[in-house]
Amino acid sequence: MPEQRIVVLVGLPGSGKSTWVAAQGGVAVSSDELRRWLRDDPTDQSIHGLVFRLMRDFVRLRIQLGAPVTYVDATNLTRKHRRAFVKIAEHTGCRCEAVLFDVPVEECLRRNAARPRQVPEHAIRAMALRLEPPTLEEGFATVTIR
């Protein structure tokens, strides 16, 4: 059986994370989807802690159930946000990979404007300032830039 993988997606809203997972034929553990399931609102930030606890639980369950690849679809902007998923991979013997969607802010804003549900421009610009590109030193087996 091939090694199980956790693939942590890193990028701004509108950078193409969800579109890329769909093109891979994958299913993602998505922070927006969990917010939608819990509050009928994918933008509800009041349940941030609960959403990320559930994301970690879903990742663990997928590994336990033998999922070959588990995509983690959130902005995952900082090393701190990504660390929990690297630790899960270490504890479960999975390979952990990062995919950085290195898309210019202006392109993300353009794509965001064409979406039915838009993230405020000021929020995307603030996220861009906080973005820490993932590194191998964090514990990723690979870091791919798209």
Side-chain angles (χ1 to χ4, degrees):
M1 179 201 266
E3 184 177 29
Q4 289 177 290
R5 297 183 301 138
I6 297 172
V7 180
V8 179
L9 310 181
V10 180
L12 298 174
S15 63
K17 298 178 304 294
S18 301
T19 301
W20 182 80
V21 169
Q24 305 308 301
V27 175
V29 176
S30 164
S31 57
D32 288 347
E33 281 302 296
L34 284 171
R35 286 184 186 95
R36 187 177 63 81
W37 293 344
L38 294 169
R39 292 282 199 159
D40 300 327
D41 180 358
T43 66
D44 187 342
Q45 296 296 316
S46 71
I47 57 171
H48 182 81
L50 174 61
V51 164
F52 281 87
R53 188 179 83 220
L54 288 173
M55 285 185 77
R56 292 186 299 272
D57 290 344
F58 268 84
V59 168
R60 285 186 199 96
L61 284 169
R62 285 184 53 82
I63 298 305
Q64 182 181 359
L65 294 171
V69 182
T70 298
Y71 296 98
V72 179
D73 187 0
T75 57
N76 295 307
L77 298 175
T78 67
R79 184 181 190 119
K80 178 182 174 185
H81 287 113
R82 299 184 291 264
R83 183 69 192 142
F85 301 110
V86 171
K87 283 186 160 226
I88 291 169
E90 289 171 355
H91 290 134
T92 58
C94 292
R95 178 181 172 89
C96 195
E97 303 170 0
V99 178
L100 172 62
F101 292 79
D102 188 20
V103 177
V105 175
E106 296 307 320
E107 177 61 15
C108 291
L109 291 170
R110 186 191 68 72
R111 292 176 184 176
N112 181 62
R115 293 172 152 182
R117 180 182 61 78
Q118 297 174 9
V119 176
E121 179 178 335
H122 72 275
I124 293 175
R125 289 190 186 281
M127 285 183 225
L129 295 174
R130 291 196 328 267
L131 176 62
E132 299 170 8
T135 65
L136 296 176
E137 290 75 24
E138 291 177 56
F140 293 111
T142 61
V143 175
T144 304
I145 300 173
R146 302 205 58 76

PDB file of all heavy atoms in Angstrom, residues 38-55:
ATOM      1  N   LEU A  38     -21.553  23.838   9.946  1.00  0.00           N
ATOM      2  CA  LEU A  38     -21.893  24.141  11.335  1.00  0.00           C
ATOM      3  C   LEU A  38     -22.816  25.340  11.488  1.00  0.00           C
ATOM      4  O   LEU A  38     -23.671  25.356  12.376  1.00  0.00           O
ATOM      5  CB  LEU A  38     -20.612  24.390  12.129  1.00  0.00           C
ATOM      6  CG  LEU A  38     -19.697  23.178  12.295  1.00  0.00           C
ATOM      7  CD1 LEU A  38     -18.355  23.610  12.857  1.00  0.00           C
ATOM      8  CD2 LEU A  38     -20.344  22.124  13.177  1.00  0.00           C
ATOM      9  N   ARG A  39     -22.639  26.368  10.658  1.00  0.00           N
ATOM     10  CA  ARG A  39     -23.381  27.624  10.832  1.00  0.00           C
ATOM     11  C   ARG A  39     -24.143  28.062   9.587  1.00  0.00           C
ATOM     12  O   ARG A  39     -24.668  29.171   9.561  1.00  0.00           O
ATOM     13  CB  ARG A  39     -22.431  28.752  11.214  1.00  0.00           C
ATOM     14  CG  ARG A  39     -21.821  28.615  12.553  1.00  0.00           C
ATOM     15  CD  ARG A  39     -22.789  29.021  13.621  1.00  0.00           C
ATOM     16  NE  ARG A  39     -22.003  29.293  14.810  1.00  0.00           N
ATOM     17  CZ  ARG A  39     -22.394  30.009  15.806  1.00  0.00           C
ATOM     18  NH1 ARG A  39     -23.560  30.568  15.784  1.00  0.00           N
ATOM     19  NH2 ARG A  39     -21.621  30.169  16.851  1.00  0.00           N
ATOM     20  N   ASP A  40     -24.138  27.231   8.545  1.00  0.00           N
ATOM     21  CA  ASP A  40     -24.762  27.606   7.272  1.00  0.00           C
ATOM     22  C   ASP A  40     -24.132  28.865   6.687  1.00  0.00           C
ATOM     23  O   ASP A  40     -24.766  29.573   5.908  1.00  0.00           O
ATOM     24  CB  ASP A  40     -26.281  27.821   7.430  1.00  0.00           C
ATOM     25  CG  ASP A  40     -26.995  26.578   7.910  1.00  0.00           C
ATOM     26  OD1 ASP A  40     -26.558  25.465   7.560  1.00  0.00           O
ATOM     27  OD2 ASP A  40     -27.988  26.709   8.653  1.00  0.00           O
ATOM     28  N   ASP A  41     -22.901  29.146   7.098  1.00  0.00           N
ATOM     29  CA  ASP A  41     -22.224  30.363   6.656  1.00  0.00           C
ATOM     30  C   ASP A  41     -20.716  30.115   6.597  1.00  0.00           C
ATOM     31  O   ASP A  41     -20.057  30.051   7.640  1.00  0.00           O
ATOM     32  CB  ASP A  41     -22.532  31.504   7.631  1.00  0.00           C
ATOM     33  CG  ASP A  41     -21.860  32.811   7.248  1.00  0.00           C
ATOM     34  OD1 ASP A  41     -21.106  32.868   6.239  1.00  0.00           O
ATOM     35  OD2 ASP A  41     -22.085  33.805   7.972  1.00  0.00           O
ATOM     36  N   PRO A  42     -20.172  29.961   5.390  1.00  0.00           N
ATOM     37  CA  PRO A  42     -18.739  29.674   5.278  1.00  0.00           C
ATOM     38  C   PRO A  42     -17.833  30.819   5.710  1.00  0.00           C
ATOM     39  O   PRO A  42     -16.615  30.643   5.802  1.00  0.00           O
ATOM     40  CB  PRO A  42     -18.559  29.362   3.791  1.00  0.00           C
ATOM     41  CG  PRO A  42     -19.693  30.030   3.109  1.00  0.00           C
ATOM     42  CD  PRO A  42     -20.825  30.030   4.092  1.00  0.00           C
ATOM     43  N   THR A  43     -18.409  31.981   6.015  1.00  0.00           N
ATOM     44  CA  THR A  43     -17.598  33.131   6.415  1.00  0.00           C
ATOM     45  C   THR A  43     -17.586  33.363   7.927  1.00  0.00           C
ATOM     46  O   THR A  43     -16.902  34.259   8.396  1.00  0.00           O
ATOM     47  CB  THR A  43     -18.103  34.419   5.731  1.00  0.00           C
ATOM     48  OG1 THR A  43     -19.413  34.721   6.231  1.00  0.00           O
ATOM     49  CG2 THR A  43     -18.151  34.260   4.222  1.00  0.00           C
ATOM     50  N   ASP A  44     -18.337  32.573   8.680  1.00  0.00           N
ATOM     51  CA  ASP A  44     -18.487  32.804  10.119  1.00  0.00           C
ATOM     52  C   ASP A  44     -17.179  32.538  10.855  1.00  0.00           C
ATOM     53  O   ASP A  44     -16.807  31.396  11.100  1.00  0.00           O
ATOM     54  CB  ASP A  44     -19.606  31.919  10.675  1.00  0.00           C
ATOM     55  CG  ASP A  44     -19.928  32.233  12.128  1.00  0.00           C
ATOM     56  OD1 ASP A  44     -19.105  32.870  12.815  1.00  0.00           O
ATOM     57  OD2 ASP A  44     -21.013  31.830  12.578  1.00  0.00           O
ATOM     58  N   GLN A  45     -16.490  33.602  11.226  1.00  0.00           N
ATOM     59  CA  GLN A  45     -15.202  33.486  11.911  1.00  0.00           C
ATOM     60  C   GLN A  45     -15.357  33.323  13.424  1.00  0.00           C
ATOM     61  O   GLN A  45     -14.367  33.101  14.121  1.00  0.00           O
ATOM     62  CB  GLN A  45     -14.330  34.713  11.604  1.00  0.00           C
ATOM     63  CG  GLN A  45     -13.954  34.840  10.143  1.00  0.00           C
ATOM     64  CD  GLN A  45     -13.075  33.694   9.665  1.00  0.00           C
ATOM     65  OE1 GLN A  45     -12.135  33.282  10.331  1.00  0.00           O
ATOM     66  NE2 GLN A  45     -13.402  33.159   8.497  1.00  0.00           N
ATOM     67  N   SER A  46     -16.585  33.413  13.936  1.00  0.00           N
ATOM     68  CA  SER A  46     -16.789  33.313  15.384  1.00  0.00           C
ATOM     69  C   SER A  46     -16.530  31.905  15.906  1.00  0.00           C
ATOM     70  O   SER A  46     -16.411  31.712  17.112  1.00  0.00           O
ATOM     71  CB  SER A  46     -18.202  33.758  15.760  1.00  0.00           C
ATOM     72  OG  SER A  46     -19.165  32.797  15.336  1.00  0.00           O
ATOM     73  N   ILE A  47     -16.436  30.925  15.016  1.00  0.00           N
ATOM     74  CA  ILE A  47     -16.219  29.543  15.433  1.00  0.00           C
ATOM     75  C   ILE A  47     -14.862  29.025  14.942  1.00  0.00           C
ATOM     76  O   ILE A  47     -14.668  27.825  14.760  1.00  0.00           O
ATOM     77  CB  ILE A  47     -17.372  28.633  14.956  1.00  0.00           C
ATOM     78  CG1 ILE A  47     -17.545  28.719  13.429  1.00  0.00           C
ATOM     79  CG2 ILE A  47     -18.657  28.968  15.689  1.00  0.00           C
ATOM     80  CD1 ILE A  47     -18.517  27.709  12.851  1.00  0.00           C
ATOM     81  N   HIS A  48     -13.925  29.932  14.767  1.00  0.00           N
ATOM     82  CA  HIS A  48     -12.606  29.606  14.223  1.00  0.00           C
ATOM     83  C   HIS A  48     -11.923  28.448  14.972  1.00  0.00           C
ATOM     84  O   HIS A  48     -11.446  27.491  14.365  1.00  0.00           O
ATOM     85  CB  HIS A  48     -11.722  30.859  14.242  1.00  0.00           C
ATOM     86  CG  HIS A  48     -10.370  30.660  13.669  1.00  0.00           C
ATOM     87  ND1 HIS A  48     -10.124  30.681  12.319  1.00  0.00           N
ATOM     88  CD2 HIS A  48      -9.179  30.407  14.272  1.00  0.00           C
ATOM     89  CE1 HIS A  48      -8.840  30.464  12.105  1.00  0.00           C
ATOM     90  NE2 HIS A  48      -8.247  30.292  13.267  1.00  0.00           N
ATOM     91  N   GLY A  49     -11.867  28.525  16.289  1.00  0.00           N
ATOM     92  CA  GLY A  49     -11.208  27.493  17.080  1.00  0.00           C
ATOM     93  C   GLY A  49     -11.855  26.129  16.900  1.00  0.00           C
ATOM     94  O   GLY A  49     -11.166  25.116  16.726  1.00  0.00           O
ATOM     95  N   LEU A  50     -13.168  26.096  16.939  1.00  0.00           N
ATOM     96  CA  LEU A  50     -13.900  24.846  16.746  1.00  0.00           C
ATOM     97  C   LEU A  50     -13.646  24.274  15.357  1.00  0.00           C
ATOM     98  O   LEU A  50     -13.405  23.069  15.193  1.00  0.00           O
ATOM     99  CB  LEU A  50     -15.399  25.071  16.952  1.00  0.00           C
ATOM    100  CG  LEU A  50     -16.310  23.888  16.640  1.00  0.00           C
ATOM    101  CD1 LEU A  50     -15.978  22.693  17.526  1.00  0.00           C
ATOM    102  CD2 LEU A  50     -17.763  24.297  16.776  1.00  0.00           C
ATOM    103  N   VAL A  51     -13.663  25.121  14.347  1.00  0.00           N
ATOM    104  CA  VAL A  51     -13.453  24.671  12.975  1.00  0.00           C
ATOM    105  C   VAL A  51     -12.083  24.010  12.829  1.00  0.00           C
ATOM    106  O   VAL A  51     -11.962  22.926  12.242  1.00  0.00           O
ATOM    107  CB  VAL A  51     -13.616  25.844  11.978  1.00  0.00           C
ATOM    108  CG1 VAL A  51     -13.040  25.517  10.613  1.00  0.00           C
ATOM    109  CG2 VAL A  51     -15.087  26.223  11.869  1.00  0.00           C
ATOM    110  N   PHE A  52     -11.049  24.603  13.383  1.00  0.00           N
ATOM    111  CA  PHE A  52      -9.719  24.027  13.218  1.00  0.00           C
ATOM    112  C   PHE A  52      -9.505  22.796  14.089  1.00  0.00           C
ATOM    113  O   PHE A  52      -8.770  21.884  13.704  1.00  0.00           O
ATOM    114  CB  PHE A  52      -8.627  25.092  13.359  1.00  0.00           C
ATOM    115  CG  PHE A  52      -8.522  25.876  12.087  1.00  0.00           C
ATOM    116  CD1 PHE A  52      -9.315  26.983  11.860  1.00  0.00           C
ATOM    117  CD2 PHE A  52      -7.681  25.446  11.076  1.00  0.00           C
ATOM    118  CE1 PHE A  52      -9.273  27.661  10.656  1.00  0.00           C
ATOM    119  CE2 PHE A  52      -7.630  26.120   9.860  1.00  0.00           C
ATOM    120  CZ  PHE A  52      -8.419  27.231   9.653  1.00  0.00           C
ATOM    121  N   ARG A  53     -10.192  22.724  15.222  1.00  0.00           N
ATOM    122  CA  ARG A  53     -10.154  21.478  16.001  1.00  0.00           C
ATOM    123  C   ARG A  53     -10.791  20.348  15.199  1.00  0.00           C
ATOM    124  O   ARG A  53     -10.263  19.240  15.109  1.00  0.00           O
ATOM    125  CB  ARG A  53     -10.858  21.651  17.338  1.00  0.00           C
ATOM    126  CG  ARG A  53     -10.654  20.414  18.234  1.00  0.00           C
ATOM    127  CD  ARG A  53     -11.326  20.550  19.573  1.00  0.00           C
ATOM    128  NE  ARG A  53     -12.724  20.177  19.385  1.00  0.00           N
ATOM    129  CZ  ARG A  53     -13.761  20.790  19.942  1.00  0.00           C
ATOM    130  NH1 ARG A  53     -13.587  21.828  20.725  1.00  0.00           N
ATOM    131  NH2 ARG A  53     -14.981  20.373  19.725  1.00  0.00           N
ATOM    132  N   LEU A  54     -11.943  20.642  14.580  1.00  0.00           N
ATOM    133  CA  LEU A  54     -12.612  19.640  13.758  1.00  0.00           C
ATOM    134  C   LEU A  54     -11.786  19.259  12.534  1.00  0.00           C
ATOM    135  O   LEU A  54     -11.753  18.089  12.139  1.00  0.00           O
ATOM    136  CB  LEU A  54     -13.995  20.134  13.329  1.00  0.00           C
ATOM    137  CG  LEU A  54     -15.044  20.173  14.433  1.00  0.00           C
ATOM    138  CD1 LEU A  54     -16.313  20.850  13.930  1.00  0.00           C
ATOM    139  CD2 LEU A  54     -15.342  18.773  14.945  1.00  0.00           C
ATOM    140  N   MET A  55     -11.099  20.236  11.933  1.00  0.00           N
ATOM    141  CA  MET A  55     -10.230  19.912  10.799  1.00  0.00           C
ATOM    142  C   MET A  55      -9.165  18.900  11.215  1.00  0.00           C
ATOM    143  O   MET A  55      -8.930  17.916  10.506  1.00  0.00           O
ATOM    144  CB  MET A  55      -9.555  21.175  10.237  1.00  0.00           C
ATOM    145  CG  MET A  55     -10.487  22.037   9.429  1.00  0.00           C
ATOM    146  SD  MET A  55      -9.626  23.432   8.681  1.00  0.00           S
ATOM    147  CE  MET A  55      -8.798  22.604   7.316  1.00  0.00           C
TER     148      MET A  55
END
